Amino acid sequence: MITVDPNKVCYIFDVDGTLTEPRLQMTDALANEFLLWSMQKQCFIATGSDFEKTKEQVPWDIIDCFQNVFCCMGNEVRDTTGRIVDKSDFVMQESLEEDFKKILQNSKCPVKTGAHIELRTGMVNFSTVGRNADFEQRKTYNLWDKKHSERSEIASYINEKYPTLNASVGGSISIDIIEEGHDKGQIVHYLENAGAQRVVFVGDRCEPGGNDYGIIRELQKSNLSFEWYNVKGPQDTLMLLRTNKVFDGGK
Ligand code: M1P
């Protein structure tokens, strides 16, 4: 059950690439700024990641500033104490698992580290370099992927072959796969149904195909008044909080 004060703006923040660098901890500078900025405000987290990873990256006193944490693309909803208040399931089709294995075998990515398929609440995350990749291996893969577009090709392949699924590129080494309609767009519905009137979203992958796009798409379809900011990283978010300046993107 989500409670919203309709007289207050609902501020929604993505995590990886927005509040933190992908899979890294929030900087003290941004954490301190956020603590002050968020006082008396109504804030929500919208991440593709699970709650365990979110807790590793965002300190508890900052998580405490958020009314709800929407994890796993909005498929797992937590209240401010971390309790799950709603969730949806994802059933992994056998053929999808087989496809992952084939893609992995054929991938020419520089290194494979294990933990390539991660089943989460309401979704699965797939990475050819693997979730065991350290910071350097993540960076190397990300640069390689920018050149070879591996992730967007895998996402397109899955989207074409499985019309009921939706694969999107988020973070720096993986893709998120959900049942159609179970992307971050569902967060807009949660807030709208709870009576929200105005929403401000800050994310780093707001373009079609990016894992924040669902929020933009549903905001545009809704009757809500809204603004959104596509940041290039947590440094942009810090500047946004300090200056309220619009970065690339916007309504
Ligand atoms: O929140 C953005 C993404 O963060 C991680 O991405 P990666 O490990 O590729 O950097 C993942 O948790 C991913 O699911 C999530 O969408």
Side-chain angles (χ1 to χ4, degrees):
M1 178 69 185
I2 309 289
T3 322
V4 154
D5 179 346
N7 300 313
K8 283 174 140 185
V9 176
C10 293
Y11 290 94
I12 316 176
F13 288 85
D14 167 52
V15 178
D16 295 87
T18 301
L19 289 180
T20 75
E21 292 294 349
R23 290 299 291 122
L24 290 186
Q25 287 180 344
M26 197 173 185
T27 61
D28 288 345
L30 183 51
N32 292 336
E33 192 79 27
F34 195 87
L35 266 181
L36 288 176
W37 178 88
S38 62
M39 273 179 187
Q40 317 295 328
K41 291 193 172 71
Q42 183 168 245
C43 301
F44 302 86
I45 282 182
T47 177
S49 234
D50 54 32
F51 195 54
E52 285 312 305
K53 294 188 193 69
T54 307
K55 281 191 298 182
E56 285 167 12
Q57 294 171 243
V58 184
W60 255 116
D61 56 339
I62 305 296
I63 291 192
D64 225 28
C65 303
F66 292 92
Q67 207 153 299
N68 290 98
V69 180
F70 295 96
C71 312
C72 307
M73 309 288 277
N75 289 302
E76 186 176 289
V77 188
R78 304 258 178 173
D79 67 13
T80 192
T81 67
R83 196 174 58 92
I84 297 177
V85 293
D86 204 3
K87 69 185 185 84
S88 42
D89 295 321
F90 181 87
V91 180
M92 174 83 115
Q93 302 175 30
E94 239 175 72
S95 62
L96 181 63
E97 200 165 351
E98 285 308 312
D99 276 334
F100 285 154
K101 286 179 186 156
K102 274 188 221 145
I103 292 167
L104 194 54
Q105 229 169 22
N106 295 332
S107 168
K108 304 230 167 2
C109 81
V111 62
K112 293 173 189 165
T113 65
H116 300 280
I117 304 171
E118 187 173 85
L119 202 52
R120 300 182 188 158
T121 309
M123 64 174 282
V124 60
N125 180 267
F126 177 65
S127 167
T128 55
V129 62
R131 303 221 58 82
N132 292 334
D134 63 21
F135 186 62
E136 279 310 312
Q137 290 166 326
R138 282 179 155 268
K139 258 178 40 191
T140 309
Y141 175 80
N142 191 257
L143 284 175
W144 180 85
D145 182 52
K146 278 194 177 121
K147 223 161 123 190
H148 295 88
S149 311
E150 180 185 60
R151 290 191 297 164
S152 49
E153 277 173 25
I154 299 172
S156 302
Y157 171 78
I158 291 170
N159 286 332
E160 268 166 42
K161 180 161 176 191
Y162 300 92
T164 63
L165 299 181
N166 181 283
S168 63
V169 177
S172 51
I173 60 159
S174 63
I175 60 172
D176 294 321
I177 298 123
I178 42 136
E179 291 285 350
E180 192 66 56
H182 283 249
D183 64 11
K184 289 190 186 181
Q186 57 192 326
I187 297 166
V188 173
H189 300 151
Y190 274 113
L191 298 180
E192 204 174 14
N193 292 340
Q197 298 288 323
R198 179 162 172 73
V199 169
V200 173
F201 175 64
V202 185
D204 71 318
R205 303 302 300 252
C206 299
E207 73 287 354
N211 76 345
D212 292 324
Y213 177 66
I215 294 196
I216 312 305
R217 186 196 61 229
E218 293 310 308
L219 282 173
Q220 284 166 343
K221 282 202 253 168
S222 76
N223 291 320
L224 295 164
S225 125
F226 66 92
E227 257 172 69
W228 56 274
Y229 299 92
N230 193 72
V231 293
K232 292 197 182 80
Q235 196 56 31
D236 270 7
T237 307
L238 179 64
M239 294 309 290
L240 186 62
L241 298 186
R242 278 192 186 150
T243 63
N244 235 8
K245 182 174 168 288
V246 182
F247 294 94
D248 59 322
K251 194 173 165 184

